Amino acid sequence: MAPSKVVIVGAGFGGLAAAKALAKTSAQVILIDRTNHHLFQPLLYQVATSVLTPSQIATPIRGIFRRQKNTIVILGEVTGVDKDQKCVFVTDADRRNVPISYDYLILATGSTHSYFGHTEFERFAPGLKSLADAEAARNKILQAFELAEAEDNPAGHRDLLTFILVGAGPTGVEMAGALAVLVRSSLKSEFRRIDPASAHIVLVDMAPRVLGPFSDGLSKAAKTRLEKLGVEVRLGHSVEQIDSNGIVVGGERIASKTVIWTAGVAPSPAGKWLNVERDRAGRVRIQKDLTVPGHAEIFVVGDTASLDQNGKPLPGVAQVAMQQGRYAAKVIHNRIAGKRPPDSFSYFDKGSMAVVGKGFAVLQTGKVQVSGFGAWLTWAAVHLQFLATSSLRLTVFLQWIWTYFTGQRGDRLIVQHHASPAWPTARDDVPESAFVGK
């Protein structure tokens, strides 16, 4: 009897957790992703601000599963699912559309940027969801200082050295803090005609406070810390316009050549592939065992899934995706082994954290709320733990120690790829089906 075939779409946190959990089962696992690496997305902003190199937050998928003999890795873009024929369609490197059959399917396809109906913003305010995004942001930030140094007219410096981050959630807050440390420490003695510390960093959000999911006390602590670092925090106003010369927020134009989108996310088009019920955001409504109603063989996990717990939808964070990935694998294992199914999925919230500049973070878990250096040490330990390999943990740890005490960054190279623009433009030619990740 042939082993059951489990197809996992997406090698992000959820997909990776599911594939690893199936290591000791009799199933044949096929893991499909449109990139050849697993990306630790929570540290993308550190690549964008030159703290870490791309290779320190990404690991080749094949390397992760080199000893897991029941797992096949396929590089390709999933373009659809045929529920009746039980197969997914994958576009390979030769642009061939290849069907791959499954007995069980786990969709862990992640999310992409959401511009809340203003898709025209993307051309001028790219987000941070991939290594390419982070490298492009790093290029743009470092180029701004180079252009300012070469600019004879001091009046032109301010526009070049104004950096705007749209979205004051964890990504925006962490990016703003890291950028403030970069311009006020690492770059301070390297230019002769400009003062990098004069850079103007603006964090914008329509919400009334930063870090909305956190308590009022921690939100205020994070805002105070950002302001001490020199970040201007503008809250309570939505962005009305973004173009090549800056943004308009609250009726006021802020001139800038560098705008980065750190606001909302949108789920992958997996719901459209399946043609099943979705919530208002487009996420697939799943059952308590993470399966799609009417299709017990199809599981959806992570950012693409919509599931309520205690009357609230589960957040789109890595911990949810990982726990759901492991749970889906357990359900499949029990079915293959003829065991009773596990209890309904229940997310265990281990808490939320955000780092705000050097040596400062906020941490919230249950009734425990901590801010400061101790929270930063906890944040560092947790992030090191969840990196994919021990070699990454060691190199990131050493780089953090080096940067903390010397201020020197891991990668401040401006790398131009002549086949594409230095800063991403609108990607209208990229199909929705390309979003396979997280």
Side-chain angles (χ1 to χ4, degrees), residues 39-307:
L39 175 64
F40 194 81
Q41 285 191 355
L43 293 180
L44 271 174
Y45 78 94
Q46 294 206 358
V47 173
T49 54
S50 301
V51 177
L52 299 175
T53 67
S55 62
Q56 288 178 303
I57 68 166
T59 308
I61 301 169
R62 295 187 185 280
I64 295 173
F65 292 99
R66 65 187 183 277
R67 293 191 178 93
Q68 191 165 318
K69 302 301 183 182
N70 71 332
T71 300
I72 298 171
V73 177
I74 293 179
L75 178 66
E77 294 179 1
V78 171
T79 58
V81 177
D82 187 324
K83 295 178 293 184
D84 297 326
Q85 297 298 319
K86 290 188 177 181
C87 69
V88 299
F89 298 99
V90 182
T91 302
D92 63 15
D94 293 328
R95 309 310 298 175
R96 297 176 302 175
N97 209 26
V98 180
I100 297 179
S101 63
Y102 63 81
D103 295 305
Y104 298 97
L105 174 64
I106 300 176
L107 294 174
T109 44
S111 60
T112 184
H113 318 294
S114 173
Y115 290 86
F116 306 110
H118 291 278
T119 54
E120 71 275 12
F121 289 173
E122 183 177 12
R123 178 181 178 187
F124 306 106
L128 285 175
K129 295 297 288 183
S130 69
L131 283 180
D133 291 338
E135 285 191 308
R138 183 191 66 202
N139 284 350
K140 185 69 172 180
I141 291 166
L142 296 177
Q143 283 174 335
F145 291 96
E146 298 296 339
L147 291 171
E149 179 81 348
E151 174 61 58
D152 291 327
N153 183 5
H157 291 171
R158 184 167 179 83
D159 290 2
L160 286 168
L161 298 183
T162 295
F163 304 93
I164 300 175
L165 306 171
V166 181
T171 300
V173 167
E174 293 184 329
M175 181 74 178
L179 188 54
V181 174
L182 170 69
V183 303
R184 287 165 176 78
S185 61
S186 301
L187 302 182
K188 66 179 180 180
S189 62
E190 298 189 359
F191 293 85
R192 302 295 177 261
R193 304 175 70 183
I194 62 170
D195 176 12
S198 67
H200 185 206
I201 302 168
V202 185
L203 181 63
V204 176
D205 202 305
M206 67 180 297
R209 59 191 183 92
V210 304
L211 297 178
F214 288 73
S215 68
D216 286 340
L218 291 181
S219 175
K220 290 177 182 177
K223 181 174 181 289
T224 300
R225 180 68 174 182
L226 285 172
E227 291 171 339
K228 286 183 178 179
L229 290 170
V231 177
E232 179 184 353
V233 182
R234 293 196 174 203
L235 303 172
H237 296 286
S238 61
V239 174
E240 300 156 21
Q241 180 181 337
I242 303 179
D243 55 37
S244 59
N245 295 313
I247 72 170
V248 176
V249 58
E252 178 185 352
R253 171 167 282 278
I254 305 175
S256 171
K257 297 297 184 182
T258 306
V259 181
I260 301 174
W261 191 264
T262 56
V265 296
S268 76
K272 296 180 181 178
W273 300 342
L274 297 173
N275 192 26
V276 295
E277 183 184 2
R278 289 165 282 165
D279 65 11
R280 292 178 59 185
R283 299 178 301 174
V284 177
R285 292 192 182 277
I286 55 174
Q287 302 183 111
K288 295 296 185 181
D289 62 354
L290 311 187
T291 61
V292 174
H295 291 274
E297 74 283 1
I298 301 177
F299 300 78
V300 184
V301 304
D303 290 351
T304 303
S306 176
L307 181 66

